[in-house]
Amino acid sequence: MLSDTIAAISTAVGESGIAVIRVSGPEAIASVENVFRSKTKLTEADSHTVHYGFIIDPKADEKLEEVLVSLFRAPRSFTTEDVVEISTHGGIISVKRVMDLLLEQRDIRLAEPGEFTKRAFLNGRIDLSQAEAVIDLIRSKSDRAFSLALKQVEGALSRKIGELRHMLVETLAHIEVNIDYPEHDVESMTTEFIKQKCTLTMQGIDDLLRTASQGKILREGITTAIVGRPNVGKSSLLNALARENKAIVTDIPGTTRDVIEEFVTINNIPLKLLDTAGIRETIDVVEKIGVERSKAAVDEADLILLVLNHAEELHEDEMTLLKQLSGRPVIVILNKIDLPQQLDRSEVSRYFSDDVIVELSAKTEEGLDHLEEAISKLFFGGELESGDLTYVSNVRHIALLKRAKQSLQDAYEAADTGIPIDIMQIDVRLAWEQLGEVVGDSAPDALIDQIFSQFCLGK
């Protein structure tokens, strides 16, 4: 409830320079005042000030911790409520002692996951798309993904959605006037007027959806399976891309028995690399399980890096892989170019074009930049769109935009068939509501609860 005062640890638990405990609500200042000793009384202090002192156990009159307390008075805070942030020494014991003492106060309870951000939303500080972007900021795996999330936190997407909804409100208002006062032809309220407004709004939605695939990749990353026969250099490639030894590399075929995961960033594109067991026929029970997991990883991957040995002729298993993967998003890597060539590249070119065939050495890292360029070109045509664009990256937002566009398309087609405008109004209003659900204006409570449950405690 918004009338409660809540508290939670807002920094990761563990050893660190400092840790921060956040308290928000109507009794935040008074409750912290009860356990804080300083030259300044918090209840009399100005907003946006920092105070040095000690957390005291009032029952035992014992100092528990040396702290800095930051004070933010309503409505000039993240939640728009009174907020107190206590900076303690980093460490499990120090934070626990302060947190336990705060929760002993009658007016404070432990916050739920995401409750601070939820209060900011419910109090009108941010809308739902901005709140969801806070999660993206925390989970960003590249500079570009962080910049994308920051723009949305600042309201870039909200403003675009607001402009589209305003256009639909004008349309709905004209329809209402035409229905209520048919004797007045307000702005020539005809089917052509409705079609014009629907077209303009659909164009605006298309502009947002145009970069949706790029935004989704920047937000979630590309699940990338590294596949090939044993001992072609899959683990060496993962280590080279990760810039550290994550996977065991030996000359013994079949060293990798399970799928190894690692996140890397290439040209500002986050990749979730899956180093798989070598795909071959085997009677080894453990290796066979690894091969089956490798095949499952291939089925789920957004991108497949098929590694072939440049220093060996194509094997029958590899010919099968080339045929099976044709038509999938694949980059074929001819590895070990530091060794004499034995592989006939023309055999690979029968299944894949030259722009997705890359020659490199995972051992010396020669040609690794060509692989990075090929990945960027495959998903982004070589480079990302202009930084001025508003990217839509959230799957929920993309689905709602597509549904809103379909509703407007239905209204447009209804206008073409001469259906009465009060029927068209239903589809236009539905599109307005679907766009409103992006920013939370018309989102159901269950959806709001579900979204904020994904947040970490203390955010």
Side-chain angles (χ1 to χ4, degrees):
M1 294 178 61
L2 292 177
S3 59
D4 293 345
T5 297
I6 56 175
I9 303 168
S10 291
T11 47
V13 177
E15 294 183 5
S16 60
I18 63 170
V20 177
I21 296 172
R22 178 182 287 171
V23 185
S24 179
E27 300 300 323
I29 299 174
S31 296
V32 174
E33 176 74 53
N34 290 337
V35 297
F36 179 62
R37 294 296 177 268
S38 175
K39 292 181 179 179
T40 307
K41 289 181 65 67
L42 290 182
T43 51
E44 299 173 358
D46 294 333
S47 181
H48 292 70
T49 54
V50 180
H51 308 275
Y52 167 77
F54 295 89
I55 296 296
I56 307 290
D57 183 350
K59 296 178 182 176
D61 196 24
E62 174 190 1
K63 291 181 180 179
L64 297 185
E65 174 64 304
E66 183 183 26
V67 299
L68 289 175
V69 171
S70 302
L71 179 65
F72 308 91
R73 292 189 179 274
R76 298 170 57 206
S77 71
F78 178 64
T79 62
T80 77
E81 304 170 334
D82 286 339
V83 172
V84 178
E85 292 185 352
I86 304 171
S87 299
T88 74
H89 292 94
I92 296 174
I93 300 301
S94 60
V95 176
K96 183 178 184 301
R97 293 177 74 182
V98 176
M99 192 66 199
D100 286 347
L101 182 63
L102 286 172
L103 293 179
E104 288 176 7
Q105 306 302 301
R106 180 174 55 86
D107 298 317
I108 299 180
R109 67 168 173 82
L110 183 65
E112 298 173 358
E115 190 169 1
F116 294 100
T117 310
K118 185 177 182 180
R119 289 190 174 201
F121 164 68
L122 294 175
N123 291 329
R125 169 75 166 69
I126 56 175
D127 65 33
L128 196 56
S129 67
Q130 291 173 291
E132 289 172 288
V134 172
I135 306 178
D136 296 341
L137 273 178
I138 296 169
R139 298 176 179 173
S140 295
K141 297 177 178 65
S142 70
D143 290 341
R144 196 57 183 262
F146 184 88
S147 297
L148 165 63
L150 186 59
K151 284 188 70 175
Q152 293 202 8
V153 168
E154 293 172 347
L157 177 61
S158 305
R159 287 190 291 274
K160 294 285 187 182
I161 295 296
E163 292 168 6
L164 296 176
R165 295 191 81 211
H166 180 69
M167 197 181 304
L168 293 181
V169 165
E170 288 181 335
T171 307
L172 289 168
H174 286 308
I175 293 175
E176 290 285 356
V177 171
N178 189 272
I179 292 172
D180 294 340
Y181 305 99
E183 67 276 12
H184 297 286
D185 192 16
V186 179
E187 285 200 23
S188 301
M189 172 49 71
T190 62
T191 54
E192 289 303 316
F193 177 82
I194 298 174
K195 288 166 64 176
Q196 177 190 12
K197 290 296 185 180
C198 288
T199 299
L200 288 173
T201 310
M202 285 191 288
Q203 287 173 351
I205 292 174
D206 283 337
D207 287 342
L208 289 173
L209 290 175
R210 180 161 58 87
T211 56
S213 59
Q214 294 187 8
K216 185 172 181 290
I217 288 172
L218 289 172
R219 180 178 188 263
E220 300 178 3
I222 303 171
T223 301
T224 306
I226 305 174
V227 300
R229 295 187 69 249
N231 218 32
V232 295
K234 298 185 300 299
S235 296
S236 296
L237 178 62
L238 179 139
N239 290 341
L241 291 172
R243 302 293 195 266
E244 60 180 305
N245 293 327
K246 287 288 185 178
I248 298 173
V249 177
T250 72
D251 294 329
I252 304 171
T255 302
T256 303
R257 297 297 187 95
D258 204 350
V259 176
I260 299 173
E261 295 185 6
E262 178 65 19
F263 266 102
V264 302
T265 300
I266 292 178
N267 284 353
N268 254 322
I269 305 170
L271 302 183
K272 178 184 178 183
L273 293 178
L274 307 176
D275 179 22
T276 64
I279 296 177
R280 65 172 177 175
E281 294 297 326
T282 178
I283 59 173
D284 185 299
V285 176
V286 177
E287 186 180 357
K288 193 170 185 178
I289 294 172
V291 171
E292 290 303 315
R293 292 184 178 181
S294 297
K295 292 177 179 177
V298 169
D299 292 338
E300 298 171 4
D302 302 313
L303 171 64
I304 300 163
L305 302 182
L306 173 58
V307 184
L308 306 176
N309 190 342
H310 184 269
E312 291 182 356
E313 295 182 358
L314 277 178
H315 190 276
E316 184 179 341
D317 289 342
E318 293 172 324
M319 293 296 295
T320 301
L321 274 174
L322 287 169
K323 294 175 184 177
Q324 290 176 343
L325 297 178
S326 181
R328 295 286 304 277
V330 175
I331 293 177
V332 182
I333 297 171
L334 309 185
N335 189 29
K336 303 188 182 182
I337 60 171
D338 50 307
L339 300 176
Q341 179 177 354
Q342 296 292 327
L343 185 144
D344 184 355
R345 179 169 173 148
S346 64
E347 292 186 64
V348 180
S349 299
R350 290 167 53 194
Y351 301 96
F352 296 96
S353 60
D354 285 340
D355 57 349
V356 295
I357 301 175
V358 177
E359 297 184 6
L360 59 79
S361 169
K363 181 179 180 180
T364 66
E365 298 190 5
E366 179 186 354
L368 206 60
D369 55 335
H370 298 313
L371 172 60
E372 296 177 351
E373 290 170 8
I375 293 172
S376 181
K377 185 175 181 180
L378 184 62
F379 285 91
F380 296 102
E383 61 182 44
L384 297 176
E385 294 279 2
S386 164
D388 295 333
L389 289 174
T390 300
Y391 283 85
V392 181
S393 59
N394 188 297
V395 174
R396 186 182 75 86
H397 299 168
I398 294 170
L400 286 167
L401 286 168
K402 289 180 176 178
R403 283 162 54 191
K405 182 183 176 183
Q406 184 58 56
S407 297
L408 292 170
Q409 186 65 44
D410 292 342
Y412 186 97
E413 293 172 359
D416 263 347
T417 57
I419 290 177
I421 59 172
D422 54 338
I423 303 300
M424 296 180 222
Q425 180 192 35
I426 297 173
D427 289 321
V428 175
R429 182 173 294 279
L430 181 58
W432 178 79
E433 291 175 350
Q434 287 161 338
L435 291 175
E437 197 169 328
V438 173
V439 294
D441 282 358
S442 56
D445 291 343
L447 172 64
I448 293 171
D449 291 341
Q450 191 273 330
I451 288 172
F452 286 105
S453 69
Q454 300 175 45
F455 280 69
C456 54
L457 192 67
K459 191 58 185 171

